[in-house]
Amino acid sequence: MTTLHQAPRQEAAPSEARLWAELWPLLLASAVSLLPFTVYSTFLVPISEGAGGDVAAVGALRGLGGITSLAVGVAAAPLLERFAKQRVSAFALAILAAGSLAALHGSFTALTVFCAAIGTATAILVPALLASAADRYDDDATSGRAATLVSATQALAAVAAGPVIGVVAAQTGWRGALVMTAALATVLAIGFALHPDRHRPPERPERPPGYFDAFRRIAGRRILLALIAAASLRTAALMGCLAYMAAWYDHAFDLDAAVFTLVWTVSGLSFFLGNYFGGRWIAGTSDQHRVGLVLLGGVVTAMAGLVLLFAAPSLAPAVVGTGLQSAGHAVTAAAITALIIRRGGPVRSAALSVNAAAMAFGTFAGASLGGAGLALFGYTGIAAALAMPLVAALAIAAVLAWRTRPQRS
């Protein structure tokens, strides 16, 4: 009887190749979600010239996308448990495609619509993809691994998107790159709409909570609040650093923009590898204390990388620090995602959405924090300012690791 009962658990641990084969539409959608703002950032100068505005004003519109992402992500969080995740993804992809096409007009108004639409789309799409990937599998370890594959693919796409978009834009301009993005999003939206969630989520003893009850349950679970806070803090530290990293390399090592792209690639590739292999290791253990220690180790590594980057006497150790920082953040992100899935219960989808919104807030808080540090104390001020959220994240990670330790009898 026991053997027959445990057989499905063996089936619930698919190989890495099988995971990729089963999840590829979700992974492709996660990569597509990065394309619109990558195009916008890459071609900000010609886009600004076409809109008749200066680079600062047009670039600041991306902040509108962050604000929209934060507001929509929180507002939509409890709804993810009530709808088929792939249909939600189809809806978000349709918004992403429409926003990309709206930008083709090129006016300041059109770009405002574009930024708000992409912020809305990603706020819905990313947690829906994470939840859809997690819901395909019965055991928490594989569910967490599936979700971290989605986030790892986004990291890989961040590295590869620039060259791909550059090749497309060389032939068709930035508008052609957005048309390509809209076409991919539309095809995926149609596919998700026609084949919604063929793999049903595992049975749970509770029905999905009501709208406001979902927020109450998240607020009542201190571990979820701690994980979400840590995600926001570590995102602020990383994204604040990335916002000023090119300026630091130019200031400290006289590195021009063309060569800096190699440093950017090191950062992105390190994040992908940390997220991918960190998520893979986490999936192989059911020990919550070990996952807590991985979370703690990731934050410590990120802190060490930040210090090395800004204290390095020469270029080589600075690049090592850049890679360490990104890898540490990636492992931390993988551990947070896995723990939310394992501890979220009936509100895990809502918690993933709130977590995504918290990271959106962290992105823009980090840029503001780094800017304040630069204005007040120069480049040393950036390092000091960004170390503060990492210290707070380190404290949270230490408490979580301590609380998940095995109890001695």
PDB file of all heavy atoms in Angstrom, residues 165-196:
ATOM      1  N   ILE A 165      18.303  42.043 -30.351  1.00  0.00           N
ATOM      2  CA  ILE A 165      17.580  43.257 -30.735  1.00  0.00           C
ATOM      3  C   ILE A 165      18.440  44.130 -31.639  1.00  0.00           C
ATOM      4  O   ILE A 165      17.952  44.738 -32.592  1.00  0.00           O
ATOM      5  CB  ILE A 165      17.141  44.026 -29.467  1.00  0.00           C
ATOM      6  CG1 ILE A 165      15.972  43.297 -28.812  1.00  0.00           C
ATOM      7  CG2 ILE A 165      16.755  45.467 -29.797  1.00  0.00           C
ATOM      8  CD1 ILE A 165      15.606  43.825 -27.462  1.00  0.00           C
ATOM      9  N   GLY A 166      19.746  44.164 -31.354  1.00  0.00           N
ATOM     10  CA  GLY A 166      20.645  44.948 -32.192  1.00  0.00           C
ATOM     11  C   GLY A 166      20.655  44.461 -33.627  1.00  0.00           C
ATOM     12  O   GLY A 166      20.650  45.268 -34.571  1.00  0.00           O
ATOM     13  N   VAL A 167      20.665  43.147 -33.820  1.00  0.00           N
ATOM     14  CA  VAL A 167      20.655  42.581 -35.179  1.00  0.00           C
ATOM     15  C   VAL A 167      19.355  42.921 -35.900  1.00  0.00           C
ATOM     16  O   VAL A 167      19.350  43.338 -37.063  1.00  0.00           O
ATOM     17  CB  VAL A 167      20.864  41.054 -35.130  1.00  0.00           C
ATOM     18  CG1 VAL A 167      20.615  40.435 -36.502  1.00  0.00           C
ATOM     19  CG2 VAL A 167      22.270  40.727 -34.643  1.00  0.00           C
ATOM     20  N   VAL A 168      18.227  42.755 -35.201  1.00  0.00           N
ATOM     21  CA  VAL A 168      16.926  43.065 -35.814  1.00  0.00           C
ATOM     22  C   VAL A 168      16.825  44.550 -36.150  1.00  0.00           C
ATOM     23  O   VAL A 168      16.418  44.942 -37.247  1.00  0.00           O
ATOM     24  CB  VAL A 168      15.772  42.651 -34.869  1.00  0.00           C
ATOM     25  CG1 VAL A 168      14.433  43.116 -35.427  1.00  0.00           C
ATOM     26  CG2 VAL A 168      15.775  41.141 -34.671  1.00  0.00           C
ATOM     27  N   ALA A 169      17.227  45.394 -35.183  1.00  0.00           N
ATOM     28  CA  ALA A 169      17.113  46.837 -35.371  1.00  0.00           C
ATOM     29  C   ALA A 169      18.045  47.346 -36.464  1.00  0.00           C
ATOM     30  O   ALA A 169      17.767  48.368 -37.104  1.00  0.00           O
ATOM     31  CB  ALA A 169      17.397  47.557 -34.061  1.00  0.00           C
ATOM     32  N   ALA A 170      19.175  46.647 -36.679  1.00  0.00           N
ATOM     33  CA  ALA A 170      20.093  47.065 -37.746  1.00  0.00           C
ATOM     34  C   ALA A 170      19.409  46.996 -39.107  1.00  0.00           C
ATOM     35  O   ALA A 170      19.741  47.757 -40.024  1.00  0.00           O
ATOM     36  CB  ALA A 170      21.336  46.188 -37.732  1.00  0.00           C
ATOM     37  N   GLN A 171      18.439  46.098 -39.239  1.00  0.00           N
ATOM     38  CA  GLN A 171      17.724  45.949 -40.504  1.00  0.00           C
ATOM     39  C   GLN A 171      16.438  46.762 -40.556  1.00  0.00           C
ATOM     40  O   GLN A 171      16.067  47.275 -41.616  1.00  0.00           O
ATOM     41  CB  GLN A 171      17.378  44.456 -40.729  1.00  0.00           C
ATOM     42  CG  GLN A 171      18.573  43.528 -40.685  1.00  0.00           C
ATOM     43  CD  GLN A 171      19.581  43.809 -41.785  1.00  0.00           C
ATOM     44  OE1 GLN A 171      19.204  44.113 -42.915  1.00  0.00           O
ATOM     45  NE2 GLN A 171      20.869  43.728 -41.448  1.00  0.00           N
ATOM     46  N   THR A 172      15.771  46.894 -39.424  1.00  0.00           N
ATOM     47  CA  THR A 172      14.419  47.480 -39.442  1.00  0.00           C
ATOM     48  C   THR A 172      14.257  48.683 -38.525  1.00  0.00           C
ATOM     49  O   THR A 172      13.177  49.289 -38.504  1.00  0.00           O
ATOM     50  CB  THR A 172      13.389  46.412 -39.025  1.00  0.00           C
ATOM     51  OG1 THR A 172      13.668  45.992 -37.684  1.00  0.00           O
ATOM     52  CG2 THR A 172      13.449  45.198 -39.946  1.00  0.00           C
ATOM     53  N   GLY A 173      15.289  49.027 -37.733  1.00  0.00           N
ATOM     54  CA  GLY A 173      15.153  50.110 -36.783  1.00  0.00           C
ATOM     55  C   GLY A 173      14.457  49.649 -35.506  1.00  0.00           C
ATOM     56  O   GLY A 173      14.022  48.502 -35.399  1.00  0.00           O
ATOM     57  N   TRP A 174      14.353  50.567 -34.526  1.00  0.00           N
ATOM     58  CA  TRP A 174      13.747  50.180 -33.247  1.00  0.00           C
ATOM     59  C   TRP A 174      12.278  49.823 -33.401  1.00  0.00           C
ATOM     60  O   TRP A 174      11.755  48.985 -32.667  1.00  0.00           O
ATOM     61  CB  TRP A 174      13.929  51.284 -32.211  1.00  0.00           C
ATOM     62  CG  TRP A 174      13.254  52.605 -32.499  1.00  0.00           C
ATOM     63  CD1 TRP A 174      13.794  53.677 -33.144  1.00  0.00           C
ATOM     64  CD2 TRP A 174      11.916  52.979 -32.155  1.00  0.00           C
ATOM     65  NE1 TRP A 174      12.883  54.698 -33.225  1.00  0.00           N
ATOM     66  CE2 TRP A 174      11.726  54.308 -32.610  1.00  0.00           C
ATOM     67  CE3 TRP A 174      10.866  52.338 -31.490  1.00  0.00           C
ATOM     68  CZ2 TRP A 174      10.516  54.987 -32.441  1.00  0.00           C
ATOM     69  CZ3 TRP A 174       9.673  53.015 -31.310  1.00  0.00           C
ATOM     70  CH2 TRP A 174       9.495  54.322 -31.783  1.00  0.00           C
ATOM     71  N   ARG A 175      11.608  50.410 -34.370  1.00  0.00           N
ATOM     72  CA  ARG A 175      10.201  50.042 -34.601  1.00  0.00           C
ATOM     73  C   ARG A 175      10.076  48.590 -35.048  1.00  0.00           C
ATOM     74  O   ARG A 175       9.155  47.872 -34.633  1.00  0.00           O
ATOM     75  CB  ARG A 175       9.573  50.986 -35.624  1.00  0.00           C
ATOM     76  CG  ARG A 175       9.285  52.385 -35.084  1.00  0.00           C
ATOM     77  CD  ARG A 175       8.627  53.264 -36.142  1.00  0.00           C
ATOM     78  NE  ARG A 175       8.162  54.525 -35.583  1.00  0.00           N
ATOM     79  CZ  ARG A 175       8.897  55.613 -35.448  1.00  0.00           C
ATOM     80  NH1 ARG A 175      10.185  55.571 -35.835  1.00  0.00           N
ATOM     81  NH2 ARG A 175       8.402  56.714 -34.927  1.00  0.00           N
ATOM     82  N   GLY A 176      11.003  48.149 -35.881  1.00  0.00           N
ATOM     83  CA  GLY A 176      10.980  46.755 -36.303  1.00  0.00           C
ATOM     84  C   GLY A 176      11.179  45.799 -35.139  1.00  0.00           C
ATOM     85  O   GLY A 176      10.554  44.727 -35.088  1.00  0.00           O
ATOM     86  N   ALA A 177      12.041  46.177 -34.194  1.00  0.00           N
ATOM     87  CA  ALA A 177      12.264  45.337 -33.019  1.00  0.00           C
ATOM     88  C   ALA A 177      10.997  45.236 -32.173  1.00  0.00           C
ATOM     89  O   ALA A 177      10.675  44.171 -31.626  1.00  0.00           O
ATOM     90  CB  ALA A 177      13.418  45.905 -32.190  1.00  0.00           C
ATOM     91  N   LEU A 178      10.244  46.343 -32.079  1.00  0.00           N
ATOM     92  CA  LEU A 178       8.989  46.308 -31.314  1.00  0.00           C
ATOM     93  C   LEU A 178       7.909  45.515 -32.055  1.00  0.00           C
ATOM     94  O   LEU A 178       7.092  44.843 -31.421  1.00  0.00           O
ATOM     95  CB  LEU A 178       8.507  47.729 -31.022  1.00  0.00           C
ATOM     96  CG  LEU A 178       9.268  48.473 -29.927  1.00  0.00           C
ATOM     97  CD1 LEU A 178       8.698  49.879 -29.741  1.00  0.00           C
ATOM     98  CD2 LEU A 178       9.216  47.715 -28.598  1.00  0.00           C
ATOM     99  N   VAL A 179       7.900  45.596 -33.377  1.00  0.00           N
ATOM    100  CA  VAL A 179       6.946  44.778 -34.153  1.00  0.00           C
ATOM    101  C   VAL A 179       7.252  43.301 -33.939  1.00  0.00           C
ATOM    102  O   VAL A 179       6.336  42.478 -33.757  1.00  0.00           O
ATOM    103  CB  VAL A 179       7.007  45.148 -35.648  1.00  0.00           C
ATOM    104  CG1 VAL A 179       6.233  44.133 -36.484  1.00  0.00           C
ATOM    105  CG2 VAL A 179       6.448  46.544 -35.883  1.00  0.00           C
ATOM    106  N   MET A 180       8.537  42.931 -33.961  1.00  0.00           N
ATOM    107  CA  MET A 180       8.924  41.544 -33.684  1.00  0.00           C
ATOM    108  C   MET A 180       8.451  41.121 -32.293  1.00  0.00           C
ATOM    109  O   MET A 180       7.916  40.020 -32.108  1.00  0.00           O
ATOM    110  CB  MET A 180      10.441  41.404 -33.777  1.00  0.00           C
ATOM    111  CG  MET A 180      10.964  40.015 -33.411  1.00  0.00           C
ATOM    112  SD  MET A 180      12.742  39.980 -33.048  1.00  0.00           S
ATOM    113  CE  MET A 180      12.779  40.818 -31.450  1.00  0.00           C
ATOM    114  N   THR A 181       8.631  41.990 -31.312  1.00  0.00           N
ATOM    115  CA  THR A 181       8.196  41.699 -29.945  1.00  0.00           C
ATOM    116  C   THR A 181       6.685  41.486 -29.889  1.00  0.00           C
ATOM    117  O   THR A 181       6.204  40.529 -29.266  1.00  0.00           O
ATOM    118  CB  THR A 181       8.586  42.860 -29.009  1.00  0.00           C
ATOM    119  OG1 THR A 181      10.003  43.015 -29.027  1.00  0.00           O
ATOM    120  CG2 THR A 181       8.105  42.604 -27.591  1.00  0.00           C
ATOM    121  N   ALA A 182       5.930  42.384 -30.544  1.00  0.00           N
ATOM    122  CA  ALA A 182       4.473  42.273 -30.556  1.00  0.00           C
ATOM    123  C   ALA A 182       4.025  40.979 -31.224  1.00  0.00           C
ATOM    124  O   ALA A 182       3.080  40.321 -30.776  1.00  0.00           O
ATOM    125  CB  ALA A 182       3.855  43.483 -31.252  1.00  0.00           C
ATOM    126  N   ALA A 183       4.715  40.587 -32.300  1.00  0.00           N
ATOM    127  CA  ALA A 183       4.346  39.356 -33.012  1.00  0.00           C
ATOM    128  C   ALA A 183       4.573  38.133 -32.126  1.00  0.00           C
ATOM    129  O   ALA A 183       3.705  37.240 -32.044  1.00  0.00           O
ATOM    130  CB  ALA A 183       5.159  39.250 -34.302  1.00  0.00           C
ATOM    131  N   LEU A 184       5.730  38.071 -31.449  1.00  0.00           N
ATOM    132  CA  LEU A 184       6.003  36.940 -30.556  1.00  0.00           C
ATOM    133  C   LEU A 184       4.997  36.884 -29.418  1.00  0.00           C
ATOM    134  O   LEU A 184       4.489  35.802 -29.075  1.00  0.00           O
ATOM    135  CB  LEU A 184       7.421  37.069 -29.989  1.00  0.00           C
ATOM    136  CG  LEU A 184       8.585  36.762 -30.929  1.00  0.00           C
ATOM    137  CD1 LEU A 184       9.906  37.147 -30.274  1.00  0.00           C
ATOM    138  CD2 LEU A 184       8.589  35.291 -31.305  1.00  0.00           C
ATOM    139  N   ALA A 185       4.697  38.032 -28.828  1.00  0.00           N
ATOM    140  CA  ALA A 185       3.737  38.070 -27.727  1.00  0.00           C
ATOM    141  C   ALA A 185       2.354  37.631 -28.181  1.00  0.00           C
ATOM    142  O   ALA A 185       1.641  36.919 -27.450  1.00  0.00           O
ATOM    143  CB  ALA A 185       3.678  39.479 -27.139  1.00  0.00           C
ATOM    144  N   THR A 186       1.960  38.031 -29.386  1.00  0.00           N
ATOM    145  CA  THR A 186       0.637  37.657 -29.904  1.00  0.00           C
ATOM    146  C   THR A 186       0.536  36.159 -30.135  1.00  0.00           C
ATOM    147  O   THR A 186      -0.472  35.527 -29.770  1.00  0.00           O
ATOM    148  CB  THR A 186       0.358  38.414 -31.212  1.00  0.00           C
ATOM    149  OG1 THR A 186       0.394  39.824 -30.960  1.00  0.00           O
ATOM    150  CG2 THR A 186      -1.002  38.033 -31.780  1.00  0.00           C
ATOM    151  N   VAL A 187       1.572  35.566 -30.728  1.00  0.00           N
ATOM    152  CA  VAL A 187       1.561  34.116 -30.970  1.00  0.00           C
ATOM    153  C   VAL A 187       1.462  33.350 -29.652  1.00  0.00           C
ATOM    154  O   VAL A 187       0.678  32.398 -29.521  1.00  0.00           O
ATOM    155  CB  VAL A 187       2.825  33.701 -31.753  1.00  0.00           C
ATOM    156  CG1 VAL A 187       2.942  32.177 -31.809  1.00  0.00           C
ATOM    157  CG2 VAL A 187       2.786  34.268 -33.168  1.00  0.00           C
ATOM    158  N   LEU A 188       2.247  33.777 -28.669  1.00  0.00           N
ATOM    159  CA  LEU A 188       2.195  33.110 -27.369  1.00  0.00           C
ATOM    160  C   LEU A 188       0.847  33.317 -26.682  1.00  0.00           C
ATOM    161  O   LEU A 188       0.306  32.387 -26.056  1.00  0.00           O
ATOM    162  CB  LEU A 188       3.312  33.652 -26.474  1.00  0.00           C
ATOM    163  CG  LEU A 188       4.724  33.167 -26.809  1.00  0.00           C
ATOM    164  CD1 LEU A 188       5.767  34.005 -26.076  1.00  0.00           C
ATOM    165  CD2 LEU A 188       4.887  31.692 -26.459  1.00  0.00           C
ATOM    166  N   ALA A 189       0.285  34.509 -26.803  1.00  0.00           N
ATOM    167  CA  ALA A 189      -1.023  34.784 -26.201  1.00  0.00           C
ATOM    168  C   ALA A 189      -2.091  33.867 -26.788  1.00  0.00           C
ATOM    169  O   ALA A 189      -2.927  33.312 -26.059  1.00  0.00           O
ATOM    170  CB  ALA A 189      -1.408  36.242 -26.409  1.00  0.00           C
ATOM    171  N   ILE A 190      -2.065  33.694 -28.082  1.00  0.00           N
ATOM    172  CA  ILE A 190      -3.040  32.810 -28.736  1.00  0.00           C
ATOM    173  C   ILE A 190      -2.852  31.372 -28.259  1.00  0.00           C
ATOM    174  O   ILE A 190      -3.820  30.661 -27.946  1.00  0.00           O
ATOM    175  CB  ILE A 190      -2.902  32.900 -30.273  1.00  0.00           C
ATOM    176  CG1 ILE A 190      -3.337  34.291 -30.756  1.00  0.00           C
ATOM    177  CG2 ILE A 190      -3.737  31.818 -30.953  1.00  0.00           C
ATOM    178  CD1 ILE A 190      -3.047  34.550 -32.223  1.00  0.00           C
ATOM    179  N   GLY A 191      -1.589  30.930 -28.186  1.00  0.00           N
ATOM    180  CA  GLY A 191      -1.320  29.572 -27.728  1.00  0.00           C
ATOM    181  C   GLY A 191      -1.786  29.343 -26.302  1.00  0.00           C
ATOM    182  O   GLY A 191      -2.414  28.320 -25.986  1.00  0.00           O
ATOM    183  N   PHE A 192      -1.530  30.285 -25.407  1.00  0.00           N
ATOM    184  CA  PHE A 192      -1.965  30.147 -24.020  1.00  0.00           C
ATOM    185  C   PHE A 192      -3.486  30.193 -23.897  1.00  0.00           C
ATOM    186  O   PHE A 192      -4.079  29.493 -23.075  1.00  0.00           O
ATOM    187  CB  PHE A 192      -1.357  31.253 -23.161  1.00  0.00           C
ATOM    188  CG  PHE A 192       0.112  31.068 -22.877  1.00  0.00           C
ATOM    189  CD1 PHE A 192       0.889  32.137 -22.473  1.00  0.00           C
ATOM    190  CD2 PHE A 192       0.716  29.831 -23.017  1.00  0.00           C
ATOM    191  CE1 PHE A 192       2.238  31.980 -22.202  1.00  0.00           C
ATOM    192  CE2 PHE A 192       2.064  29.655 -22.756  1.00  0.00           C
ATOM    193  CZ  PHE A 192       2.827  30.729 -22.350  1.00  0.00           C
ATOM    194  N   ALA A 193      -4.135  31.031 -24.713  1.00  0.00           N
ATOM    195  CA  ALA A 193      -5.590  31.141 -24.652  1.00  0.00           C
ATOM    196  C   ALA A 193      -6.266  29.856 -25.134  1.00  0.00           C
ATOM    197  O   ALA A 193      -7.309  29.451 -24.597  1.00  0.00           O
ATOM    198  CB  ALA A 193      -6.064  32.320 -25.486  1.00  0.00           C
ATOM    199  N   LEU A 194      -5.660  29.209 -26.123  1.00  0.00           N
ATOM    200  CA  LEU A 194      -6.262  27.989 -26.674  1.00  0.00           C
ATOM    201  C   LEU A 194      -5.956  26.751 -25.840  1.00  0.00           C
ATOM    202  O   LEU A 194      -6.695  25.770 -25.884  1.00  0.00           O
ATOM    203  CB  LEU A 194      -5.757  27.765 -28.112  1.00  0.00           C
ATOM    204  CG  LEU A 194      -6.208  28.799 -29.143  1.00  0.00           C
ATOM    205  CD1 LEU A 194      -5.589  28.497 -30.503  1.00  0.00           C
ATOM    206  CD2 LEU A 194      -7.736  28.831 -29.251  1.00  0.00           C
ATOM    207  N   HIS A 195      -4.872  26.803 -25.081  1.00  0.00           N
ATOM    208  CA  HIS A 195      -4.476  25.638 -24.278  1.00  0.00           C
ATOM    209  C   HIS A 195      -4.193  26.078 -22.854  1.00  0.00           C
ATOM    210  O   HIS A 195      -3.045  26.062 -22.393  1.00  0.00           O
ATOM    211  CB  HIS A 195      -3.239  24.967 -24.876  1.00  0.00           C
ATOM    212  CG  HIS A 195      -3.406  24.541 -26.298  1.00  0.00           C
ATOM    213  ND1 HIS A 195      -4.141  23.440 -26.660  1.00  0.00           N
ATOM    214  CD2 HIS A 195      -2.946  25.097 -27.453  1.00  0.00           C
ATOM    215  CE1 HIS A 195      -4.121  23.315 -27.978  1.00  0.00           C
ATOM    216  NE2 HIS A 195      -3.408  24.313 -28.478  1.00  0.00           N
ATOM    217  N   PRO A 196      -5.232  26.467 -22.118  1.00  0.00           N
ATOM    218  CA  PRO A 196      -5.008  26.988 -20.759  1.00  0.00           C
ATOM    219  C   PRO A 196      -4.794  25.883 -19.733  1.00  0.00           C
ATOM    220  O   PRO A 196      -5.609  24.983 -19.589  1.00  0.00           O
ATOM    221  CB  PRO A 196      -6.307  27.751 -20.467  1.00  0.00           C
ATOM    222  CG  PRO A 196      -7.346  27.012 -21.252  1.00  0.00           C
ATOM    223  CD  PRO A 196      -6.654  26.491 -22.481  1.00  0.00           C
TER     224      PRO A 196
END
